[in-house]
Amino acid sequence: QQQPPPPPPLKAGLRELVFPRPLVARFLSIAHSNTQRDLETCGILAGNLKNDVFTVQELIIPEQTSTANSCTTLGEEVLFDYQDKKGLMTLGWIHTHPTQTCFMSSVDLHTHLSYQLMLAEAIAIVCAPRYDTMAIYRLTNPQGLDTIKMCRLPGFHPHQEEPPVYEQCGHVSIRTDVFYDVKDLRPRN
């Protein structure tokens, strides 16, 4: 019996996370009506770990409320129940900046902290449809994690730029050959 290949080498001390490239276009299509009204949209990136590699296998659009600068998930128990029934773990999140460029706002940094504390490899994808760009971020370790953990300021506020508190991910492989599902949990009007 042939043994599985060894896991890929660690990048920045993290396990590889495989992300399906077509998922971004699908997410932007789902977010289009909100984007047209300058409202953010968010989604959860869920998947599994196999052979020491994380793979995003599902984009879940939770019930949410949005403004031009923020998006908050609602009904999280429905989201958790759905993921539990499908055996999916949370690998990160994706959201739009309908009027701005790609960056992590202070609210984004505080949101991502909980994801990255649960899973070091968790990612935050920011899509800026107006500029046709996207970026995949994580908090720096230890600087960003420690800074955001210690910060008690609510809402939007500045964080230091040097040393940086977040960075583009070096452990993500973007591929076109990965199948994924989409589940929209928002109530139908």
Side-chain angles (χ1 to χ4, degrees):
Q1 185 177 22
Q2 190 175 15
Q3 294 293 318
L10 297 178
K11 298 174 186 172
L14 301 170
R15 292 169 286 192
E16 180 183 19
L17 189 146
V18 174
F19 178 80
R21 179 181 298 278
L23 187 148
V24 173
R26 181 69 192 276
F27 173 69
L28 289 173
S29 172
I30 292 167
H32 182 74
S33 64
N34 275 359
T35 300
Q36 293 299 106
R37 295 178 291 148
D38 291 338
L39 296 173
E40 286 195 5
T41 304
C42 64
I44 303 300
L45 305 172
N48 285 300
L49 175 65
K50 184 176 180 183
N51 296 327
D52 217 31
V53 175
F54 292 103
T55 302
V56 173
Q57 297 170 311
E58 190 139 358
L59 167 64
I60 306 169
I61 307 298
E63 183 178 355
Q64 55 196 267
T65 182
S66 302
T67 71
N69 299 308
S70 67
C71 185
T72 304
T73 59
L74 304 171
E76 291 182 336
E77 62 283 348
V78 174
L79 173 65
F80 296 143
D81 186 51
Y82 176 79
Q83 285 185 243
D84 184 52
K85 286 179 179 169
K86 291 201 68 178
L88 296 169
M89 54 191 308
T90 300
L91 302 179
W93 61 300
I94 184 170
H95 74 289
T96 56
H97 280 182
T99 63
Q100 301 177 69
T101 59
C102 290
F103 68 98
M104 292 282 278
S105 71
S106 57
V107 171
D108 296 341
L109 295 170
H110 286 265
T111 297
H112 190 64
L113 176 65
S114 61
Y115 287 89
Q116 199 168 321
L117 287 175
M118 289 188 292
L119 180 70
E121 290 85 356
I123 60 174
I125 299 179
V126 180
C127 301
R130 180 175 287 180
Y131 300 94
D132 196 27
T133 59
M134 57 95 49
I136 306 174
Y137 298 117
R138 68 185 305 272
L139 296 172
T140 55
N141 188 6
Q143 184 67 43
L145 285 171
D146 291 345
T147 298
I148 304 305
K149 271 194 272 188
M150 298 300 292
C151 178
R152 299 290 177 248
L153 297 174
F156 293 97
H157 55 276
H159 281 286
Q160 67 198 42
E161 292 185 23
E162 291 298 326
V165 293
Y166 71 96
E167 63 190 355
Q168 291 206 34
C169 292
H171 68 290
V172 177
S173 297
I174 301 174
R175 299 197 357 215
T176 57
D177 63 340
V178 177
F179 176 78
Y180 69 95
D181 288 321
V182 176
K183 179 66 174 177
D184 193 336
L185 298 175
R186 296 175 296 178
R188 301 286 171 223
N189 292 338

